[in-house]
Amino acid sequence: LIKTKTKKIIAMAQTCCGCYRPHRSSPVLSRVQPIKEKTTKKNNGILGRNAQPSRITKRGEMQKRNAAPPSEGGPKKPPASREEMIDFLRSGCKPKENWRIGTEHEKFGFSLTDNSRMPYAVIDYVLSGLVERYGWAPLNEKCPIIGSCTNADGTVRTVNIIGATKNGMNVTLEPGGQFELSGAPLDTLHETVEETRAHIKQVCELAAEKGYGFSGIGFDPKHSVEEVPMMPKGRYNIMKNYMPKVGTTGLDMMFRTCTIQVNVDFSSEADMVKKFQTSLALQPLATALFANSPFKDGKDCNMCSLRSDVWKDTDNDRCGTLQWAFDDDFGFEKYAEYMMDVPMYFIYRNGGYIDVTGLSFRDFMAGTLKILPGEKPTIDDWEQHLTTSFPEVRLKKYMEMRGADGGSEEMITALSAFWVGILYDEKSLDDAWSICKNWTSEEREWLRNDVTANGLRSTFEGGMTCLDLCKKCVQFAEDGLKNRNLGEEKYLAPLWNIVNTGKSQADILREKLHSEWNGDATMAFKATQYKV
């Protein structure tokens, strides 16, 4: 989904980690000049408090962040040229010693009594608890209509808390209230484990105080789109209105899916190309390994990864397998050209979102958008636009691996272990590329489409199965992690269990549906609930 990226002002963005992900802070609240809350009564400082202007990371580097683009007054940077937009992607290159690991994971909040989805009032409580008890800084967004936002005691406020940030981490909300942690860029998988564990413990304990829990699953097993509360974020209204015009499953994607992903770095354009092509071709293997969304509307939907399947008809202008990425001339320039052709969603100006859905970014570059005549995009606009495409692998100043369903704490780490082991070790990357380098575009497209339903059982002509390929790639990942000499290969244990048994998380959930659950797929919420 649209992820408005925080500016990387100083060293960390350039020398520490290119996988410094777009933390989904709202551009409405600047971290340096926050909007001050005004209510008819004192609100105990939970909303709209002054955020700290800077933070010290655990490695001692200062990290100063503003929301991008500018909060008021229109663009404050000069228009960016085509070459500057390409160079923005190229600037992510960094030496191997500066490569880092960035994890992102979403989860459904649900009632422990009736399985209903978590409403904003409870989300407000959890986010505010992170601020008050655990030292996070709030991320706020202006209320869309003056007087439309109220506190629990009935007093009126001017902003909603829609996230929180601390030490390079951001907690943010997807359209249906899916909680997401965008983790800090870290050196080892051991660090990501501790980060994930601490986050889950904090939010689960806060939610439990209101009778709610969090579930790690890829697709809401019970609720329709209409039954899911929408979060009070301005850009989601734009997306909700636009999605049905360009596909049949966009609203399912927005409100009923959860994913986990890992973000990785590259050293050069050639390194980026090799990693991008290898991971894009093999992304269906991750979909099969991490398949965890077999239910819809309380029933078996005959899918292993319904989450992945809905992307097939979300918006073909900004999704898909990017077959042109396997051409010999693929690189930063070609990816930038692709993004220049992706239709726009919105532009942020003067404290609000301008709906430009479906309009041409190239017209924006030429200054010929009728809605903003004469205005051209800044580098902040370009950075934001890069977040509005949804391929299985996405390029920014780092690469996002986007093919996995939401899952358990162990599976969150296993995804990072899988891709770090393959992509951060030269031999393992070569071995993985050798599997898929001769695949045709038809074979790649077939595998992408088939695994959503058949998962590990997808079978090539000649009898080779997806499971066979997964076994090889898990071994490549283990070899790569062993070469890091950090003892990280142990985090592949859940994947070894899957390939050795031939059963994904989806297969196990389906077995329970037809045995102990008596056909009631809503039981999946508690079966996949995070425990603390």
Side-chain angles (χ1 to χ4, degrees), residues 135-169:
W136 292 65
L139 297 170
N140 300 332
E141 182 166 305
K142 287 181 180 178
C143 296
I145 301 173
I146 295 175
S148 64
C149 304
T150 58
N151 296 311
D153 61 2
T155 57
V156 176
R157 64 192 188 208
T158 59
V159 297
N160 286 315
I161 184 169
I162 47 81
T165 184
K166 180 181 181 181
N167 295 340
M169 302 176 290

PDB file of all heavy atoms in Angstrom, residues 135-169:
ATOM      1  N   GLY A 135       7.804   4.869  25.443  1.00  0.00           N
ATOM      2  CA  GLY A 135       8.678   5.914  24.946  1.00  0.00           C
ATOM      3  C   GLY A 135       8.682   6.135  23.451  1.00  0.00           C
ATOM      4  O   GLY A 135       9.628   6.732  22.910  1.00  0.00           O
ATOM      5  N   TRP A 136       7.642   5.669  22.757  1.00  0.00           N
ATOM      6  CA  TRP A 136       7.536   5.950  21.338  1.00  0.00           C
ATOM      7  C   TRP A 136       7.041   7.385  21.153  1.00  0.00           C
ATOM      8  O   TRP A 136       6.385   7.961  22.022  1.00  0.00           O
ATOM      9  CB  TRP A 136       6.564   4.986  20.661  1.00  0.00           C
ATOM     10  CG  TRP A 136       7.035   3.566  20.612  1.00  0.00           C
ATOM     11  CD1 TRP A 136       7.253   2.733  21.678  1.00  0.00           C
ATOM     12  CD2 TRP A 136       7.346   2.808  19.447  1.00  0.00           C
ATOM     13  NE1 TRP A 136       7.681   1.510  21.248  1.00  0.00           N
ATOM     14  CE2 TRP A 136       7.744   1.520  19.876  1.00  0.00           C
ATOM     15  CE3 TRP A 136       7.321   3.077  18.085  1.00  0.00           C
ATOM     16  CZ2 TRP A 136       8.112   0.517  18.993  1.00  0.00           C
ATOM     17  CZ3 TRP A 136       7.680   2.085  17.196  1.00  0.00           C
ATOM     18  CH2 TRP A 136       8.083   0.815  17.644  1.00  0.00           C
ATOM     19  N   ALA A 137       7.349   7.974  20.008  1.00  0.00           N
ATOM     20  CA  ALA A 137       6.815   9.293  19.642  1.00  0.00           C
ATOM     21  C   ALA A 137       5.618   9.092  18.722  1.00  0.00           C
ATOM     22  O   ALA A 137       5.641   8.228  17.841  1.00  0.00           O
ATOM     23  CB  ALA A 137       7.880  10.129  18.936  1.00  0.00           C
ATOM     24  N   PRO A 138       4.547   9.883  18.913  1.00  0.00           N
ATOM     25  CA  PRO A 138       3.346   9.689  18.098  1.00  0.00           C
ATOM     26  C   PRO A 138       3.516  10.222  16.684  1.00  0.00           C
ATOM     27  O   PRO A 138       4.254  11.176  16.444  1.00  0.00           O
ATOM     28  CB  PRO A 138       2.289  10.495  18.846  1.00  0.00           C
ATOM     29  CG  PRO A 138       3.062  11.597  19.485  1.00  0.00           C
ATOM     30  CD  PRO A 138       4.383  10.994  19.879  1.00  0.00           C
ATOM     31  N   LEU A 139       2.813   9.600  15.763  1.00  0.00           N
ATOM     32  CA  LEU A 139       2.671  10.103  14.400  1.00  0.00           C
ATOM     33  C   LEU A 139       1.190  10.420  14.210  1.00  0.00           C
ATOM     34  O   LEU A 139       0.342   9.536  14.332  1.00  0.00           O
ATOM     35  CB  LEU A 139       3.138   9.052  13.384  1.00  0.00           C
ATOM     36  CG  LEU A 139       4.620   8.684  13.472  1.00  0.00           C
ATOM     37  CD1 LEU A 139       4.922   7.475  12.602  1.00  0.00           C
ATOM     38  CD2 LEU A 139       5.500   9.857  13.087  1.00  0.00           C
ATOM     39  N   ASN A 140       0.877  11.666  13.946  1.00  0.00           N
ATOM     40  CA  ASN A 140      -0.502  12.131  13.904  1.00  0.00           C
ATOM     41  C   ASN A 140      -0.900  12.593  12.510  1.00  0.00           C
ATOM     42  O   ASN A 140      -0.043  12.942  11.695  1.00  0.00           O
ATOM     43  CB  ASN A 140      -0.702  13.297  14.880  1.00  0.00           C
ATOM     44  CG  ASN A 140      -0.398  12.917  16.308  1.00  0.00           C
ATOM     45  OD1 ASN A 140      -0.538  11.759  16.700  1.00  0.00           O
ATOM     46  ND2 ASN A 140       0.033  13.887  17.109  1.00  0.00           N
ATOM     47  N   GLU A 141      -2.182  12.608  12.266  1.00  0.00           N
ATOM     48  CA  GLU A 141      -2.711  13.141  11.016  1.00  0.00           C
ATOM     49  C   GLU A 141      -3.910  14.018  11.324  1.00  0.00           C
ATOM     50  O   GLU A 141      -4.728  13.690  12.175  1.00  0.00           O
ATOM     51  CB  GLU A 141      -3.113  12.013  10.059  1.00  0.00           C
ATOM     52  CG  GLU A 141      -3.625  12.514   8.714  1.00  0.00           C
ATOM     53  CD  GLU A 141      -3.702  11.409   7.662  1.00  0.00           C
ATOM     54  OE1 GLU A 141      -2.655  10.757   7.434  1.00  0.00           O
ATOM     55  OE2 GLU A 141      -4.777  11.194   7.097  1.00  0.00           O
ATOM     56  N   LYS A 142      -3.995  15.143  10.629  1.00  0.00           N
ATOM     57  CA  LYS A 142      -5.114  16.046  10.831  1.00  0.00           C
ATOM     58  C   LYS A 142      -6.441  15.350  10.572  1.00  0.00           C
ATOM     59  O   LYS A 142      -6.559  14.538   9.649  1.00  0.00           O
ATOM     60  CB  LYS A 142      -5.005  17.247   9.889  1.00  0.00           C
ATOM     61  CG  LYS A 142      -3.934  18.256  10.241  1.00  0.00           C
ATOM     62  CD  LYS A 142      -3.960  19.399   9.241  1.00  0.00           C
ATOM     63  CE  LYS A 142      -2.905  20.434   9.542  1.00  0.00           C
ATOM     64  NZ  LYS A 142      -2.902  21.529   8.526  1.00  0.00           N
ATOM     65  N   CYS A 143      -7.423  15.666  11.370  1.00  0.00           N
ATOM     66  CA  CYS A 143      -8.772  15.164  11.113  1.00  0.00           C
ATOM     67  C   CYS A 143      -9.268  15.743   9.790  1.00  0.00           C
ATOM     68  O   CYS A 143      -9.049  16.928   9.503  1.00  0.00           O
ATOM     69  CB  CYS A 143      -9.716  15.564  12.246  1.00  0.00           C
ATOM     70  SG  CYS A 143      -9.279  14.825  13.825  1.00  0.00           S
ATOM     71  N   PRO A 144      -9.934  14.924   8.972  1.00  0.00           N
ATOM     72  CA  PRO A 144     -10.349  15.396   7.650  1.00  0.00           C
ATOM     73  C   PRO A 144     -11.357  16.527   7.694  1.00  0.00           C
ATOM     74  O   PRO A 144     -11.384  17.372   6.815  1.00  0.00           O
ATOM     75  CB  PRO A 144     -10.934  14.139   7.004  1.00  0.00           C
ATOM     76  CG  PRO A 144     -11.311  13.254   8.147  1.00  0.00           C
ATOM     77  CD  PRO A 144     -10.301  13.528   9.202  1.00  0.00           C
ATOM     78  N   ILE A 145     -12.212  16.554   8.719  1.00  0.00           N
ATOM     79  CA  ILE A 145     -13.225  17.594   8.873  1.00  0.00           C
ATOM     80  C   ILE A 145     -13.124  18.125  10.295  1.00  0.00           C
ATOM     81  O   ILE A 145     -13.089  17.365  11.261  1.00  0.00           O
ATOM     82  CB  ILE A 145     -14.645  17.055   8.609  1.00  0.00           C
ATOM     83  CG1 ILE A 145     -14.736  16.480   7.191  1.00  0.00           C
ATOM     84  CG2 ILE A 145     -15.685  18.158   8.796  1.00  0.00           C
ATOM     85  CD1 ILE A 145     -16.057  15.785   6.922  1.00  0.00           C
ATOM     86  N   ILE A 146     -13.068  19.446  10.434  1.00  0.00           N
ATOM     87  CA  ILE A 146     -12.976  20.053  11.761  1.00  0.00           C
ATOM     88  C   ILE A 146     -14.161  19.616  12.618  1.00  0.00           C
ATOM     89  O   ILE A 146     -15.320  19.694  12.195  1.00  0.00           O
ATOM     90  CB  ILE A 146     -12.928  21.586  11.652  1.00  0.00           C
ATOM     91  CG1 ILE A 146     -11.645  22.023  10.930  1.00  0.00           C
ATOM     92  CG2 ILE A 146     -12.987  22.232  13.035  1.00  0.00           C
ATOM     93  CD1 ILE A 146     -11.561  23.519  10.675  1.00  0.00           C
ATOM     94  N   GLY A 147     -13.843  19.120  13.799  1.00  0.00           N
ATOM     95  CA  GLY A 147     -14.886  18.673  14.714  1.00  0.00           C
ATOM     96  C   GLY A 147     -15.310  17.231  14.536  1.00  0.00           C
ATOM     97  O   GLY A 147     -16.158  16.731  15.278  1.00  0.00           O
ATOM     98  N   SER A 148     -14.693  16.531  13.556  1.00  0.00           N
ATOM     99  CA  SER A 148     -15.110  15.155  13.279  1.00  0.00           C
ATOM    100  C   SER A 148     -14.420  14.132  14.162  1.00  0.00           C
ATOM    101  O   SER A 148     -14.821  12.967  14.186  1.00  0.00           O
ATOM    102  CB  SER A 148     -14.838  14.808  11.809  1.00  0.00           C
ATOM    103  OG  SER A 148     -13.437  14.842  11.536  1.00  0.00           O
ATOM    104  N   CYS A 149     -13.374  14.517  14.882  1.00  0.00           N
ATOM    105  CA  CYS A 149     -12.606  13.583  15.703  1.00  0.00           C
ATOM    106  C   CYS A 149     -12.838  13.890  17.180  1.00  0.00           C
ATOM    107  O   CYS A 149     -12.721  15.045  17.602  1.00  0.00           O
ATOM    108  CB  CYS A 149     -11.121  13.676  15.385  1.00  0.00           C
ATOM    109  SG  CYS A 149     -10.723  13.420  13.637  1.00  0.00           S
ATOM    110  N   THR A 150     -13.139  12.861  17.939  1.00  0.00           N
ATOM    111  CA  THR A 150     -13.394  13.050  19.361  1.00  0.00           C
ATOM    112  C   THR A 150     -12.586  12.074  20.179  1.00  0.00           C
ATOM    113  O   THR A 150     -12.251  10.970  19.734  1.00  0.00           O
ATOM    114  CB  THR A 150     -14.883  12.867  19.694  1.00  0.00           C
ATOM    115  OG1 THR A 150     -15.293  11.545  19.290  1.00  0.00           O
ATOM    116  CG2 THR A 150     -15.739  13.893  18.973  1.00  0.00           C
ATOM    117  N   ASN A 151     -12.276  12.479  21.408  1.00  0.00           N
ATOM    118  CA  ASN A 151     -11.628  11.601  22.365  1.00  0.00           C
ATOM    119  C   ASN A 151     -12.675  10.704  23.029  1.00  0.00           C
ATOM    120  O   ASN A 151     -13.884  10.874  22.836  1.00  0.00           O
ATOM    121  CB  ASN A 151     -10.890  12.428  23.426  1.00  0.00           C
ATOM    122  CG  ASN A 151      -9.754  13.239  22.818  1.00  0.00           C
ATOM    123  OD1 ASN A 151      -8.947  12.705  22.073  1.00  0.00           O
ATOM    124  ND2 ASN A 151      -9.715  14.525  23.141  1.00  0.00           N
ATOM    125  N   ALA A 152     -12.199   9.768  23.840  1.00  0.00           N
ATOM    126  CA  ALA A 152     -13.108   8.839  24.510  1.00  0.00           C
ATOM    127  C   ALA A 152     -14.088   9.558  25.430  1.00  0.00           C
ATOM    128  O   ALA A 152     -15.213   9.096  25.637  1.00  0.00           O
ATOM    129  CB  ALA A 152     -12.305   7.795  25.289  1.00  0.00           C
ATOM    130  N   ASP A 153     -13.671  10.723  25.966  1.00  0.00           N
ATOM    131  CA  ASP A 153     -14.553  11.454  26.880  1.00  0.00           C
ATOM    132  C   ASP A 153     -15.467  12.444  26.153  1.00  0.00           C
ATOM    133  O   ASP A 153     -16.163  13.240  26.779  1.00  0.00           O
ATOM    134  CB  ASP A 153     -13.720  12.191  27.928  1.00  0.00           C
ATOM    135  CG  ASP A 153     -12.764  13.216  27.310  1.00  0.00           C
ATOM    136  OD1 ASP A 153     -12.771  13.375  26.072  1.00  0.00           O
ATOM    137  OD2 ASP A 153     -12.011  13.845  28.070  1.00  0.00           O
ATOM    138  N   GLY A 154     -15.449  12.412  24.805  1.00  0.00           N
ATOM    139  CA  GLY A 154     -16.333  13.266  24.041  1.00  0.00           C
ATOM    140  C   GLY A 154     -15.745  14.597  23.632  1.00  0.00           C
ATOM    141  O   GLY A 154     -16.376  15.339  22.869  1.00  0.00           O
ATOM    142  N   THR A 155     -14.553  14.917  24.097  1.00  0.00           N
ATOM    143  CA  THR A 155     -13.936  16.174  23.701  1.00  0.00           C
ATOM    144  C   THR A 155     -13.450  16.097  22.255  1.00  0.00           C
ATOM    145  O   THR A 155     -13.122  15.027  21.751  1.00  0.00           O
ATOM    146  CB  THR A 155     -12.762  16.519  24.618  1.00  0.00           C
ATOM    147  OG1 THR A 155     -11.819  15.434  24.602  1.00  0.00           O
ATOM    148  CG2 THR A 155     -13.253  16.747  26.032  1.00  0.00           C
ATOM    149  N   VAL A 156     -13.398  17.254  21.627  1.00  0.00           N
ATOM    150  CA  VAL A 156     -13.009  17.315  20.222  1.00  0.00           C
ATOM    151  C   VAL A 156     -11.499  17.493  20.103  1.00  0.00           C
ATOM    152  O   VAL A 156     -10.879  18.217  20.881  1.00  0.00           O
ATOM    153  CB  VAL A 156     -13.736  18.480  19.524  1.00  0.00           C
ATOM    154  CG1 VAL A 156     -13.268  18.627  18.069  1.00  0.00           C
ATOM    155  CG2 VAL A 156     -15.242  18.269  19.579  1.00  0.00           C
ATOM    156  N   ARG A 157     -10.891  16.829  19.127  1.00  0.00           N
ATOM    157  CA  ARG A 157      -9.478  17.003  18.873  1.00  0.00           C
ATOM    158  C   ARG A 157      -9.267  17.292  17.388  1.00  0.00           C
ATOM    159  O   ARG A 157     -10.154  17.051  16.567  1.00  0.00           O
ATOM    160  CB  ARG A 157      -8.691  15.767  19.290  1.00  0.00           C
ATOM    161  CG  ARG A 157      -9.021  14.505  18.494  1.00  0.00           C
ATOM    162  CD  ARG A 157      -8.414  13.290  19.160  1.00  0.00           C
ATOM    163  NE  ARG A 157      -8.539  12.081  18.356  1.00  0.00           N
ATOM    164  CZ  ARG A 157      -8.594  10.859  18.865  1.00  0.00           C
ATOM    165  NH1 ARG A 157      -8.576  10.686  20.188  1.00  0.00           N
ATOM    166  NH2 ARG A 157      -8.686   9.800  18.089  1.00  0.00           N
ATOM    167  N   THR A 158      -8.102  17.791  17.057  1.00  0.00           N
ATOM    168  CA  THR A 158      -7.823  18.187  15.675  1.00  0.00           C
ATOM    169  C   THR A 158      -6.979  17.168  14.923  1.00  0.00           C
ATOM    170  O   THR A 158      -6.824  17.284  13.707  1.00  0.00           O
ATOM    171  CB  THR A 158      -7.084  19.536  15.645  1.00  0.00           C
ATOM    172  OG1 THR A 158      -5.862  19.425  16.369  1.00  0.00           O
ATOM    173  CG2 THR A 158      -7.951  20.630  16.259  1.00  0.00           C
ATOM    174  N   VAL A 159      -6.392  16.197  15.629  1.00  0.00           N
ATOM    175  CA  VAL A 159      -5.566  15.189  14.966  1.00  0.00           C
ATOM    176  C   VAL A 159      -5.923  13.801  15.497  1.00  0.00           C
ATOM    177  O   VAL A 159      -6.447  13.651  16.600  1.00  0.00           O
ATOM    178  CB  VAL A 159      -4.056  15.438  15.189  1.00  0.00           C
ATOM    179  CG1 VAL A 159      -3.624  16.755  14.575  1.00  0.00           C
ATOM    180  CG2 VAL A 159      -3.711  15.398  16.663  1.00  0.00           C
ATOM    181  N   ASN A 160      -5.641  12.792  14.694  1.00  0.00           N
ATOM    182  CA  ASN A 160      -5.708  11.398  15.114  1.00  0.00           C
ATOM    183  C   ASN A 160      -4.301  10.832  15.174  1.00  0.00           C
ATOM    184  O   ASN A 160      -3.456  11.151  14.330  1.00  0.00           O
ATOM    185  CB  ASN A 160      -6.518  10.563  14.124  1.00  0.00           C
ATOM    186  CG  ASN A 160      -8.003  10.815  14.218  1.00  0.00           C
ATOM    187  OD1 ASN A 160      -8.568  10.871  15.302  1.00  0.00           O
ATOM    188  ND2 ASN A 160      -8.661  10.972  13.074  1.00  0.00           N
ATOM    189  N   ILE A 161      -4.042   9.988  16.139  1.00  0.00           N
ATOM    190  CA  ILE A 161      -2.775   9.262  16.157  1.00  0.00           C
ATOM    191  C   ILE A 161      -2.912   8.095  15.191  1.00  0.00           C
ATOM    192  O   ILE A 161      -3.856   7.292  15.273  1.00  0.00           O
ATOM    193  CB  ILE A 161      -2.401   8.800  17.584  1.00  0.00           C
ATOM    194  CG1 ILE A 161      -1.017   8.133  17.574  1.00  0.00           C
ATOM    195  CG2 ILE A 161      -3.455   7.901  18.200  1.00  0.00           C
ATOM    196  CD1 ILE A 161      -0.451   7.891  18.975  1.00  0.00           C
ATOM    197  N   ILE A 162      -2.007   8.016  14.228  1.00  0.00           N
ATOM    198  CA  ILE A 162      -2.100   6.955  13.208  1.00  0.00           C
ATOM    199  C   ILE A 162      -0.790   6.153  13.124  1.00  0.00           C
ATOM    200  O   ILE A 162      -0.612   5.357  12.210  1.00  0.00           O
ATOM    201  CB  ILE A 162      -2.483   7.526  11.832  1.00  0.00           C
ATOM    202  CG1 ILE A 162      -1.657   8.772  11.462  1.00  0.00           C
ATOM    203  CG2 ILE A 162      -3.960   7.900  11.813  1.00  0.00           C
ATOM    204  CD1 ILE A 162      -0.312   8.514  10.921  1.00  0.00           C
ATOM    205  N   GLY A 163       0.082   6.344  14.126  1.00  0.00           N
ATOM    206  CA  GLY A 163       1.312   5.576  14.147  1.00  0.00           C
ATOM    207  C   GLY A 163       2.201   6.017  15.287  1.00  0.00           C
ATOM    208  O   GLY A 163       1.849   6.882  16.084  1.00  0.00           O
ATOM    209  N   ALA A 164       3.383   5.404  15.358  1.00  0.00           N
ATOM    210  CA  ALA A 164       4.355   5.752  16.384  1.00  0.00           C
ATOM    211  C   ALA A 164       5.743   5.385  15.878  1.00  0.00           C
ATOM    212  O   ALA A 164       5.891   4.479  15.042  1.00  0.00           O
ATOM    213  CB  ALA A 164       4.054   5.018  17.695  1.00  0.00           C
ATOM    214  N   THR A 165       6.746   6.091  16.386  1.00  0.00           N
ATOM    215  CA  THR A 165       8.103   5.873  15.903  1.00  0.00           C
ATOM    216  C   THR A 165       9.091   5.881  17.060  1.00  0.00           C
ATOM    217  O   THR A 165       8.908   6.604  18.048  1.00  0.00           O
ATOM    218  CB  THR A 165       8.496   6.950  14.866  1.00  0.00           C
ATOM    219  OG1 THR A 165       9.795   6.659  14.341  1.00  0.00           O
ATOM    220  CG2 THR A 165       8.497   8.341  15.465  1.00  0.00           C
ATOM    221  N   LYS A 166      10.124   5.051  16.915  1.00  0.00           N
ATOM    222  CA  LYS A 166      11.143   4.962  17.957  1.00  0.00           C
ATOM    223  C   LYS A 166      12.391   4.283  17.407  1.00  0.00           C
ATOM    224  O   LYS A 166      12.320   3.170  16.882  1.00  0.00           O
ATOM    225  CB  LYS A 166      10.614   4.172  19.168  1.00  0.00           C
ATOM    226  CG  LYS A 166      11.598   4.032  20.317  1.00  0.00           C
ATOM    227  CD  LYS A 166      10.995   3.213  21.458  1.00  0.00           C
ATOM    228  CE  LYS A 166      11.961   3.081  22.614  1.00  0.00           C
ATOM    229  NZ  LYS A 166      11.398   2.257  23.720  1.00  0.00           N
ATOM    230  N   ASN A 167      13.532   4.967  17.517  1.00  0.00           N
ATOM    231  CA  ASN A 167      14.833   4.370  17.193  1.00  0.00           C
ATOM    232  C   ASN A 167      14.863   3.660  15.838  1.00  0.00           C
ATOM    233  O   ASN A 167      15.351   2.539  15.713  1.00  0.00           O
ATOM    234  CB  ASN A 167      15.253   3.386  18.287  1.00  0.00           C
ATOM    235  CG  ASN A 167      15.494   4.062  19.617  1.00  0.00           C
ATOM    236  OD1 ASN A 167      15.711   5.275  19.680  1.00  0.00           O
ATOM    237  ND2 ASN A 167      15.439   3.299  20.691  1.00  0.00           N
ATOM    238  N   GLY A 168      14.335   4.318  14.816  1.00  0.00           N
ATOM    239  CA  GLY A 168      14.366   3.737  13.477  1.00  0.00           C
ATOM    240  C   GLY A 168      13.230   2.802  13.168  1.00  0.00           C
ATOM    241  O   GLY A 168      13.112   2.319  12.038  1.00  0.00           O
ATOM    242  N   MET A 169      12.376   2.496  14.142  1.00  0.00           N
ATOM    243  CA  MET A 169      11.207   1.643  13.927  1.00  0.00           C
ATOM    244  C   MET A 169       9.965   2.509  13.771  1.00  0.00           C
ATOM    245  O   MET A 169       9.866   3.575  14.378  1.00  0.00           O
ATOM    246  CB  MET A 169      10.992   0.694  15.116  1.00  0.00           C
ATOM    247  CG  MET A 169      12.143  -0.219  15.424  1.00  0.00           C
ATOM    248  SD  MET A 169      11.830  -1.216  16.917  1.00  0.00           S
ATOM    249  CE  MET A 169      11.936   0.046  18.194  1.00  0.00           C
TER     250      MET A 169
END
